[in-house]
Amino acid sequence: MTQPTWDAVDAYFSEKLVGHDPALEAAAAAADAAGLPHIAVAPNQGKLLHLLALAQGARRILEVGTLGGYSAIWLARALPADGTLITLEIDPKHAEVARENLAHAGLDKVAEVRLGRAADSLAALAAADVEPFDLVFIDADKVSNPEYFGWALKLTRPGSLIIVDNVVRGGAVADADSTDPAVVATRKLHDVIAAEPRVTATSVQTVGSKGYDGFTLARVQS
């Protein structure tokens, strides 16, 4: 199969199961107009995040890596009226676009964009002893994923879900000799997960409009 086939299948499922969504389409257009990189999740992947948050009954969600707020909209829509989403972004321009997109989607009362290095923001959340998060979505710089996962464990509870995106690296994750920092960090992340008795996890390969990649899903056990 080829990339055009993957694109066509994604488009088919998105048309059938996601449909026309003015707020999400406006968010994608605003990100494009602002020159943000084209690395947001695809519509069907966003819907998956939404369904996982709904199935989890999430009341508090943490996102590491906001970009233009596209995935944050999907996640925040799964929250109850008294729910909270905190999303972390290092780039001021990205944060500004995300705030505007969340406001346009009517979610600025439940979703907060925090600006700064994710590691610093995560440490601040832990220091503040915030209420645990029910779901954490990690989709930021890949080299820091082992560190982000460690913070996610500190900020969750038994039963929480932790999702780490972009873990397949086009298949390079299987290459033990790779010197690519993102691949090295991704392999380290999975070593950490495999040795961590507090979680049970699996990874899933995906193909589609975003190419060949995948995600890791972990459930906190204790």
Side-chain angles (χ1 to χ4, degrees):
M1 293 209 179
T2 63
Q3 181 73 44
T5 301
W6 301 345
D7 292 350
V9 171
D10 262 8
Y12 169 77
F13 284 129
S14 293
E15 178 184 352
K16 291 294 181 182
L17 303 177
V18 177
H20 177 62
D21 191 305
L24 286 166
E25 290 163 9
D32 284 346
L36 272 59
H38 295 164
I39 54 174
V41 300
N44 53 338
Q45 295 168 341
K47 185 71 174 285
L48 174 61
L49 291 173
H50 178 77
L51 291 173
L52 286 170
L54 284 176
Q56 178 71 354
R59 192 176 63 81
R60 288 177 53 79
I61 297 175
L62 174 64
E63 180 182 50
V64 183
T66 313
L67 196 59
Y70 187 85
S71 54
I73 292 173
W74 275 114
L75 289 166
R77 283 179 170 177
L79 291 167
D82 63 345
T84 299
L85 179 142
I86 295 175
T87 180
L88 311 179
E89 176 56 50
I90 192 171
D91 188 299
K93 181 179 179 181
H94 296 181
E96 179 183 358
V97 173
R99 289 187 181 111
E100 291 173 357
N101 284 336
L102 287 162
H104 182 262
L107 296 165
D108 49 323
K109 297 296 188 294
V110 297
E112 175 191 355
V113 181
R114 295 197 179 184
L115 182 62
R117 290 182 64 250
D120 296 337
S121 297
L122 291 164
L125 285 167
D129 196 25
V130 297
E131 185 179 348
F133 292 95
D134 307 303
L135 184 149
V136 179
F137 178 49
I138 300 173
D139 188 15
D141 66 296
K142 309 312 168 186
V143 173
S144 300
N145 274 348
E147 181 180 8
Y148 296 155
F149 187 84
W151 283 116
L153 271 179
K154 297 181 192 309
L155 291 164
T156 49
R157 57 167 178 79
S160 293
L161 296 181
I162 303 171
I163 306 162
V164 186
D165 203 9
N166 307 128
V167 299
V168 172
R169 315 306 305 162
V173 70
D175 181 4
D177 297 322
S178 175
T179 58
D180 181 328
V183 174
V184 172
T186 300
R187 290 178 62 86
K188 179 180 178 182
L189 166 70
H190 289 86
D191 288 341
V192 169
I193 293 173
E196 177 53 69
R198 290 173 291 173
V199 302
T200 182
T202 192
S203 296
V204 176
Q205 299 180 78
T206 60
V207 297
S209 60
K210 297 298 178 178
Y212 171 38
D213 212 325
F215 63 92
T216 292
L217 174 65
R219 184 178 188 272
V220 181
Q221 300 290 80
S222 60

